[in-house]
Amino acid sequence: MDISATLKESYLLKDFSDQELTSLAQQCRLIKREAGEILFHEGDPADYFYILISGQVQAYKTSAEGKEVILHLFNAGDIFAEFPVFSGNPTYPVNTLCLKNSLLLAIHGQGFKTLATSYPDILLKILMRLSERLRYFTSLVEDLSLRNVDARLAKYLLSLSDTDKTEIEIHKKTLAAILGTIPETLSRTFKKLSQAGVIEVNKNSIRIQNRQALEELADILAD
């Protein structure tokens, strides 16, 4: 595998020069994890951040009552765990679970910081991408407060798809947690949109059948 080329495909690193990527590749190692395997626990030393090449990884926290709270779902191409590494936080603030067999690039945090002393421009490039990520999460918070479940579902499905990809694999329990609702409410929304011919729901996959209708629904704010 050409690690430099893989790094170039990452959203966070796509502005890096070839020389910067080649140097960064020396700070990476390829790792494999099986479905159901923990990548890291909350409180573990934050030595690495990751690029998910294939598979699916879930970030979650466990409440004092033992309830699992799902925070985010990472898919192929996503980069994660960079915030504790870049901020200097010594430990990871969440747990991560591989939902599917996953292939990842682990980037050594201290090695990355050392690299930045030789290529200081990469810090500005990273900052720009992290700012865009912050705007994205701000938008998610807005969606939870201003959109009903139907609109939140529509917008989230659109964010995971494009005109060439109409089928999305996701566990319903995970999706309900991400959307800030309960599985029963999500099931009713699935039924409504399925009957309207907007989506088709199988066991753990959703197929978009009417993208235009989904786009219109995503723009509706809560009453």
Side-chain angles (χ1 to χ4, degrees):
M1 173 180 291
D2 186 338
I3 293 181
S4 295
T6 301
L7 291 171
K8 184 69 173 180
E9 294 174 0
S10 168
Y11 170 79
L12 193 65
L13 307 174
K14 66 180 184 180
D15 293 330
F16 280 34
S17 68
D18 290 342
Q19 186 175 6
E20 290 167 345
L21 291 171
T22 299
S23 298
L24 181 57
Q26 298 173 11
Q27 306 297 330
C28 299
R29 62 188 181 96
L30 194 64
I31 60 174
K32 295 180 180 180
R33 293 291 184 269
E34 301 294 324
E37 190 173 353
I38 296 292
L39 182 60
F40 56 77
H41 290 92
E42 179 179 359
D44 284 351
D47 295 330
Y48 293 88
F49 61 102
Y50 299 87
I51 295 176
L52 183 58
I53 299 173
S54 63
Q56 196 172 59
V57 174
Q58 172 183 291
Y60 69 97
K61 290 180 75 74
T62 303
S63 68
E65 297 77 22
K67 181 180 179 181
E68 184 178 292
V69 180
I70 300 170
L71 302 175
H72 198 69
L73 194 65
F74 299 104
N75 294 290
D78 286 342
I79 189 166
F80 62 97
E82 75 277 16
F83 286 107
V85 172
F86 295 158
S87 67
N89 192 325
T91 61
Y92 294 116
V94 300
N95 307 288
T96 48
L97 170 70
C98 295
L99 297 179
K100 301 178 181 179
N101 293 344
S102 299
L103 184 65
L104 308 101
L105 276 179
I107 305 174
H108 192 258
Q110 187 55 52
F112 179 88
K113 294 175 184 178
T114 300
L115 179 66
T117 62
S118 299
Y119 301 98
D121 284 350
I122 68 176
L123 295 178
L124 180 59
K125 295 172 182 178
I126 288 286
L127 179 61
M128 291 172 61
R129 292 299 172 190
L130 290 179
S131 297
E132 292 173 358
R133 179 79 66 85
L134 179 59
R135 284 197 295 270
Y136 167 74
F137 283 113
T138 301
S139 176
L140 287 183
V141 173
E142 177 185 286
D143 290 342
L144 288 174
S145 59
L146 298 180
R147 287 177 167 80
N148 60 27
V149 175
D150 295 16
R152 296 204 298 267
L153 173 62
K155 188 166 185 180
Y156 188 73
L157 293 179
L158 290 170
S159 74
L160 296 180
S161 67
D162 52 41
T163 54
D164 297 322
K165 178 185 177 183
T166 60
E167 187 162 356
I168 301 153
E169 293 186 13
I170 189 169
H171 291 273
K172 295 175 185 177
K173 179 182 176 182
T174 301
L175 181 56
I178 291 173
L179 297 178
T181 187
I182 58 177
E184 292 77 11
T185 300
L186 183 61
S187 293
R188 289 195 292 271
T189 301
F190 278 155
K191 183 177 181 180
K192 183 196 308 182
L193 297 184
S194 296
Q195 291 176 340
V198 178
I199 61 174
E200 178 184 349
V201 182
N202 296 311
K203 183 178 180 181
N204 283 318
S205 69
I206 303 166
R207 180 180 293 277
I208 297 175
Q209 294 183 301
N210 188 333
R211 190 175 188 86
Q212 181 177 349
L214 205 63
E215 291 172 345
E216 293 173 356
L217 180 60
D219 288 333
I220 298 176
L221 299 182
D223 296 330

